[in-house]
Amino acid sequence: MFHLFSHCWSWLQAIQEPIRKVTLLVLGLDNAGKTSVIMDIERALGGEVLPVGQPGQTRLRVDRFEVTLVDLPGGQRSRSAWRSHYSAAHGLLFVLDSSDLARMEEARKVLSRVLSHPDISGKPILL
Ligand SMILES: Nc1nc2c(ncn2[C@@H]2O[C@H](COP(=O)(O)OP(=O)(O)OP(=O)(O)O)[C@@H](O)[C@H]2O)c(=O)[nH]1
Ligand SMILES: [Mg+2]
């Protein structure tokens, strides 16, 4: 009986927790597959996709989190705009095309530059 009350109490506490907003940047070279990965996530989590916010953003409800995925274009000229999103981000998804060996060094340099930025330092990254 104690366990039942204890579980109920934990559950009640959980549903009273506020929804936490999390912003994840989706970065990587042009043609790496960023937009495709986001579309795959949307397909896999169809029921959790929320109405679209701004262009290039996907909003998902995952447990007690409202997750915004920000799809940033990866072309060379677009990369300088990435840093304006760093401070608002809680984490990064860096998409790497593992079959594109010719661009592996370029991807390494780009990732290294991203990780050296002070607004990214210490934040979680999924490669
Ligand atoms: N074979 C294969 N092709 C893929 C895969 N993922 C993406 N593509 C193709 O690669 C191309 C580029 O994919 P995108 O998802 O548009 O790449 P992106 O990283 O968003 O590119 P930018 O928006 O230009 O920075 C598209 O033609 C996709 O169909 C994959 O897993 N396998
Ligand atoms: Mg794209």
Side-chain angles (χ1 to χ4, degrees):
M1 192 57 102
F2 172 78
H3 286 292
L4 179 64
F5 279 123
S6 159
H7 283 301
C8 285
W9 178 245
S10 309
W11 181 76
L12 278 171
Q13 280 185 319
I15 62 168
Q16 284 171 354
E17 277 176 24
I19 305 290
R20 294 179 61 188
K21 292 191 174 189
V22 174
T23 299
L24 302 176
L25 304 184
V26 184
L27 304 178
L29 301 185
D30 47 298
N31 253 7
K34 299 179 292 299
T35 304
S36 305
V37 164
I38 290 171
M39 286 166 63
D40 285 344
I41 292 172
E42 284 183 10
R43 267 192 292 271
L45 301 176
E48 279 85 40
V49 178
L50 298 168
V52 179
Q54 293 173 37
Q57 296 193 356
T58 297
R59 296 193 309 136
L60 305 164
R61 174 73 186 274
V62 183
D63 296 328
R64 306 297 295 167
F65 297 93
E66 184 186 306
V67 181
T68 301
L69 298 174
V70 183
D71 183 6
L72 293 170
Q76 203 165 2
R77 289 184 183 167
S78 308
R79 292 174 205 157
S80 59
W82 290 359
R83 67 175 76 97
S84 65
H85 296 269
Y86 290 168
S87 63
H90 296 90
L92 306 178
L93 274 74
F94 193 93
V95 178
L96 184 67
D97 182 353
S98 59
S99 68
D100 193 355
L101 297 179
R103 299 189 75 191
M104 214 42 88
E105 179 59 17
E106 182 187 1
R108 189 193 67 76
K109 283 182 181 157
V110 168
L111 177 58
S112 168
R113 202 173 310 132
V114 171
L115 295 178
S116 67
H117 195 282
D119 289 342
I120 287 295
S121 177
K123 293 181 178 176
I125 176 166
L126 177 67
L127 182 64

